[in-house]
Amino acid sequence: MFVERIFKNRIHLLALLTFLAITYITFFKSALELEDAEQAYYSQWLRWGYDDQPPLYTWMQYFVNQVFGVQKISFSLLRATIFASILLAISHIASKILPNKKKSELAVLLLVLLPIFIDFTFRRLSHTSLLCLSIMVTIIIIQRLLHEKTWMNYSLLGLVLSIGILSKYNYILFLVALGCAVFFDTSIRKIVFDRKFLLSVLLMILFLSPHLNWLLGHEGYVLELRQSIAIKTGNSLDTKLYVIGPLFSLIVTVFKLIAPLLVVFIVAFAFGKLKFQRPKFDWFTKLALIQFLVLILFFVFMNIQKVEERWLLPLVLPFMILLLRSVKFNAIQKWSSYLFVVFVSVIVIQTLRTPVEKILNIPSSVHFGFEPLSDTLNSQFGEQIWMLPDVTYGGNIKILNPKKEIFSKDDFSLPPINSNDANIIEVVIGKETVKEENPLGRLLDFGKERDTLFIVPYELGGFNSKK
């Protein structure tokens, strides 16, 4: 009976399949993906902040590790749960906005035509995936408030607003769009101008204050964050205002994000398989238009020269539902059936991709394990403190040594180490960075890039530790 019910709901089945696929792939990886390695490193500690990302995902990972241990499956379980939850959340939102049940199914099934979602998010994204889910849940709470302005719903709004910001700072762009919608939509205005909204604001401030205190403290984390953002976005931090470059980058990235979807719809329209129609101009449509305008203004005024698809994905994903409002399908049942088959096929391909790459010796960083480095460190420097070159190395070494505290040279957010403790060795990539003619140890042809690793004594200069 239970299985029969699941198979009657395709979206629940897809959520289950994606959850199983993401966790299953883990067993074929010799090393962690980039963002999983980052979490393996940072989730060693509970802190109010980590590097240039908010702390919520790492907090969640920390508690998952307490239950399942520090092992590869712990990191895929959390990502799999979030990915499956995104599918269910989109389905829920679509069921409230779209009158047709098959259209609400298509809102999920069409996501298979977004490469960044079905590939990058499926395999490795952490904070971005959590942001996608946070925005979805925010919209669900707004839907509830449109019908029931209860103290409970306003409490949930305050909680989810803080969760969004603690998921990824990009959430603020969604909040700005939501705030601007107050001036253009009566239903949103009624939510914000209700006296119970003050409870949402107070709860948000309460939940955010410890992290904000950490971020704005005297340690200079805000400056580090700003510099990190400037590097990632290609912003030189000058005061000149450029329009063409940022606007062009934004438009190109949005097109790349949805290109396969646009091609399918244009071809289907050309063959008479669908018709475009004018969508209902309600709060959700207005919010989507305002969100796009906010993105344009932000990227232009912040002089963002480099735009990644994954940065836009959480802000675009919910409004995929609007596309279905604008389309009338001639045979919607066939669309649903075909796209379901495509979605399942892509999941199968994603599941087989990692083991096939391994069998065929196709180069991939996840197939190059860190056991040689771990064995060397344990056999020769087991009693010393290990400083790894970056969090990717740190996380992968942590997985192999779950009981040992691991440190990374690029972790600027740890408090200083005890200056009396000089028992530290450092792993360095590349000979040009090594001053000593006779390092303590070396590894040749390490990893996919066939790097040479040197093990040298570490000077206490910039080392950080939680101690």
Side-chain angles (χ1 to χ4, degrees), residues 332-347:
I332 194 169
Q333 179 65 48
K334 289 184 178 180
W335 276 84
S336 181
S337 299
Y338 292 153
L339 282 171
F340 178 75
V341 172
V342 172
F343 207 121
V344 173
S345 300
V346 171
I347 294 173

Side-chain angles (χ1 to χ4, degrees), residues 38 240 254 287 328 337 339 342 405 455 459:
E38 178 183 281
K240 294 181 180 179
V254 170
L287 181 60
K328 182 178 181 181
S337 299
L339 282 171
V342 172
E405 194 173 33
I455 301 173
E459 298 179 2

Side-chain angles (χ1 to χ4, degrees), residues 200-370:
S200 301
V201 175
L202 292 175
L203 287 175
M204 182 179 68
I205 294 173
L206 176 65
F207 293 134
L208 289 177
S209 56
H211 173 66
L212 293 178
N213 182 63
W214 174 88
L215 187 64
L216 302 174
H218 65 275
E219 293 87 353
Y221 295 136
V222 169
L223 179 60
E224 295 281 0
L225 175 62
R226 188 184 180 204
Q227 291 175 341
S228 176
I229 293 174
I231 293 172
K232 290 179 179 178
T233 60
N235 184 343
S236 61
L237 298 179
D238 60 27
T239 57
K240 294 181 180 179
L241 181 63
Y242 302 92
V243 176
I244 301 300
L247 191 58
F248 178 77
S249 296
L250 177 61
I251 293 173
V252 168
T253 306
V254 170
F255 177 78
K256 287 167 59 179
L257 181 66
I258 62 175
L261 180 64
L262 287 179
V263 170
V264 169
F265 271 55
I266 290 172
V267 171
F269 176 76
F271 283 90
K273 301 299 181 181
L274 59 80
K275 297 178 181 178
F276 291 100
Q277 59 186 18
R278 185 175 180 179
K280 184 180 179 182
F281 198 64
D282 62 357
W283 71 273
F284 194 67
T285 305
K286 294 174 186 176
L287 181 60
L289 294 175
I290 294 170
Q291 181 69 87
F292 189 65
L293 180 60
V294 166
L295 285 173
I296 292 175
L297 294 175
F298 174 77
F299 282 97
V300 168
F301 281 99
M302 292 299 293
N303 189 25
I304 307 297
Q305 301 295 328
K306 175 185 174 184
V307 185
E308 297 284 351
E309 292 171 62
R310 65 180 185 273
W311 300 343
L312 299 181
L313 177 65
L315 302 171
V316 172
L317 203 58
F319 304 114
M320 290 287 297
I321 298 170
L322 283 179
L323 186 60
L324 293 170
R325 267 186 166 182
S326 309
V327 172
K328 182 178 181 181
F329 298 92
N330 290 349
I332 194 169
Q333 179 65 48
K334 289 184 178 180
W335 276 84
S336 181
S337 299
Y338 292 153
L339 282 171
F340 178 75
V341 172
V342 172
F343 207 121
V344 173
S345 300
V346 171
I347 294 173
V348 172
I349 292 171
Q350 288 282 21
T351 305
L352 296 177
R353 173 178 161 184
T354 298
V356 168
E357 286 176 345
K358 195 169 187 175
I359 293 170
L360 299 179
N361 292 319
I362 298 175
S364 175
S365 58
V366 299
H367 297 317
F368 292 86
F370 282 71

Side-chain angles (χ1 to χ4, degrees), residues 12 34 59 75 81 96 115 117 124 158 228 269 285 356 387 392:
H12 289 177
L34 177 64
W59 290 346
F75 301 93
T81 301
K96 302 295 182 182
F117 180 75
R124 61 179 290 184
S228 176
F269 176 76
T285 305
V356 168
M387 165 72 74
T392 301

